[in-house]
DNA sequence: GCTTAAGCGAGACGGTACGTCTAGTCTTCAT
DNA sequence: ATGAAGACTAGACGTACCGTCTCGCTTAAGC
């Protein structure tokens, strides 16, 4: 009864949506970003190309959405009891996500494209980046409750610091994985966490 | 005498090489990685496609070389008197490099491709990454001479730490610039440097 | 009252039929046969594609019907007093019909299609060709009444001759208009009529 | 040595041309005009679509050239000794050509398209129509030599008459074959020829 | 100075994918 | 049941690049 606008005609198939996103991930794994073809995705999804183009403007948009699903499913922040453990946990989790063949190439590729495409950048931000950033905010709030970090009264400064921490964590993990092409193993995760926690403590102590 | 094999015939034109790399950078700026075409580069360089393919295997290899030139010209580490100043200097320098339109997209794109192409990864490492990493080694050596950082006797551990610092610096700057899409201004550079120097100091103190 | 079968539900709109045929002719004029699209016709007629497909099997059938209407309206054979005048009249009339933009292309196109489609050929025959052929029969009957042509006692032979005359008249006009792409002006019509009447007279005299 | 213009680059393959035209005829026979696809032709010819598009602008142009070859090979006018025999011969020859599956649909279809495309009309004229018309001119010249037809001193009038005869012959055969969809058998050919020769004789006698 | 082999510009070649368009069918809601 | 709207499968369209090839011409090293 409550079709908001004068909606008419056959509704879009939700099944098609799912099949397309699943096929996209499968093709990413098998062929990689470079050889991923919208025609191939459509064929694998058992769907006509037009159906795909009706929903996504192109390869970039499709892949962002397909990858974003993974971030939804695999990023969370259980309370591990200390700031150090929380950071190390999120580092490992993010590294595990980046290690999947469907995210590895795809993520960097869409980021590369996004430098020339404002709409794409916005889509990446809302679908992927903001969800990660929320983990940082949650982690800090917990650390503040535990007394590990001081409360920052100035909201602007607080936001800036959160952004900085986010760039440091995500940037380091991405760089280690993709550019240095070395694994994020337990040792590296511990070393990195130590460095970061040390820096945060120094900043907290220094400002105290 | 020292033509290794029986080399004869017309030698390759050095001018063509230069024209091709220049054209590559120009096209990167104007069209971006995604729309860069080898045919277009050849046309701009006033060169036949064959000439281009005789020297580079494809788009990826060509762009790596074209961008690597920029890293050669624009990355250096003058002694700024303190570890903190050296780090902040290199952060700004690298950020300025990433802000150029020809590096912005290109760098991430070739890194994305390199996840599926071992040879390309090696080429990126030798042409770009290692040169940056040397700056880290040089900066640490200077800081050790100044007494700001302790000498690490274990060479394996020393290498690991250098790698970690490199991933943190480069990763944070890249992430800030490309993913968060926010500028690396003076404030951010100071904040980041403070965090990193604090962490390094804590590690040095903690191990002392 | 008299709904032959158990007909129920909403009856078909006669208005829709008319709108579709009108739209078909309009589109034929504007875009020609080649670019005529059933979707476009439906849109212009303010009708859903389904409605159109419920009534016609495809583009060919639709166009045949749309064009047949014109033949109904514009072909007739008033008694002009002599065989020669009757032939010249029908030649001019048919030429005028072929000169319309909606028939010009359409007629040849459906004829071309009909070479591979028996049902279409039959539809063209009953909707268009037979109506033209009747004019030939009528003209001959009048000429026989006037004494300009002898009566042919053998009905088979009579039918054959009528077919031949029909192919000569219609074929010549069509060929002149579409293949030679020259106008059927008064001079041509007179010349052609003279040739045909001469031939008929010779045949009548020869058999006498 | 004598490359007229500054000709450079790899020359076009004559073999490709031949393979494409052969494939076009094959596909015309198997699938007919309506289902003929440039992609299919290219595939059958063992040639890339681009190669085909480099030479022909589209389906119409290609088919005209493919069919024109047949007219070159199969239309000739041996001297059969009399005007009547020459006409009957050319009628049978042309009918035989139209009866081939590759010409039947194709010829009418391109003629239909040509009503909206001046360039295509010109191509049809020069590739097909003019060659047929030459047979008419040749036949008349022979008949004049034999004394069967008078010489026409006015060249304009002579040309008009030739055009008229051409439209009558070609039009009648085409109409019989495609529209009436009846065979051009010996009886029809004789009847038609008698009618035309009678008309020509009457005209010649009338003007004498 | 002549030979000779590679380099060179040009552009055609077989391919692959693109993103769009049309055909004809199907599904939904409203009449 | 019919109608309007519009999503659906299927597949051709004509274009753009890819990386390779075939031309005829140019250029230097080595005889």
């Amino acid at each position: 009864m409550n079709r908001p606008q004068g909606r008419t005609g056959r509704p879009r198939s939700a099944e098609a949506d799912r099949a397309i996103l699943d096929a996209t991930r499968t093709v990413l794994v098998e062929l990689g970003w470079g050889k991923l073809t919208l025609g191939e995705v459509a064929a694998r999804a058992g769907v006509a190309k037009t159906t795909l183009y009706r929903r996504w403007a192109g390869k970039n948009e499709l892949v962002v959405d397909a990858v974003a699903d993974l971030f939804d499913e695999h990023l969370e922040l259980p309370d591990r009891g200390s700031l150090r453990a929380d950071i190390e946990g999120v580092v490992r989790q993010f590294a595990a996500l980046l290690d999947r063949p469907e995210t590895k190439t795809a993520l960097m590729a869409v980021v590369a494209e996004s430098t020339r495409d404002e709409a794409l950048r916005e889509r990446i931000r809302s679908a992927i980046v903001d969800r990660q950033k929320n983990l940082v905010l949650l982690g800090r709030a917990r650390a503040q409750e535990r007394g590990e970090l001081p409360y920052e009264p100035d909201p602007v400064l607080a936001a800036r610091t959160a952004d900085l921490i986010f760039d440091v964590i995500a940037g380091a993990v991405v760089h280690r994985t993709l550019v240095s092409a070395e694994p994020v193993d337990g040792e590296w995760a511990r070393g990195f966490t130590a460095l970061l926690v040390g820096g945060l403590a120094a900043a907290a102590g220094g400002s105290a």
Side-chain angles (χ1 to χ4, degrees), chain A residues 56-119:
Chain A
W56 287 278
K59 186 166 159 171
N60 293 327
E61 288 76 6
L62 172 62
V63 169
V64 170
D65 284 10
V67 170
D69 278 3
L70 296 174
F71 279 71
D72 283 346
E73 296 168 23
H74 297 285
L75 279 191
E76 48 185 3
L77 188 64
D79 192 334
R80 291 185 174 84
S82 72
L83 176 60
R84 176 179 300 260
D86 276 2
I87 291 178
E88 201 178 317
V90 86
V91 161
R92 289 166 181 279
Q93 212 176 48
F94 187 42
L97 201 51
L98 276 187
D99 210 44
R100 287 167 155 262
E102 62 265 49
T103 48
K104 211 170 195 148
T105 328
L107 208 57
M108 282 302 95
V110 294
V111 166
E113 293 293 321
S114 78
T115 57
R116 295 222 135 218
D117 181 344
E118 174 59 39

Side-chain angles (χ1 to χ4, degrees), chain A residues 118-137:
Chain A
E118 174 59 39
L120 182 59
R121 183 155 55 240
E122 196 43 52
R123 188 166 202 142
I124 293 174
R125 189 197 310 279
S126 69
I128 298 181
V129 174
D130 283 350
R131 296 172 192 185
Q132 298 176 272
K133 201 176 282 188
N134 278 335
L135 298 189
V136 171
L137 296 175

Side-chain angles (χ1 to χ4, degrees), chain A residues 147-175:
Chain A
E148 294 173 300
L149 287 178
Y151 287 91
E152 170 58 56
D154 180 355
V156 174
L157 208 61
R160 265 188 206 142
T161 312
D163 285 352
L164 173 62
I165 295 169
F166 171 57
D167 283 329
V168 170
I169 297 178
V173 173
V174 167
H175 202 269

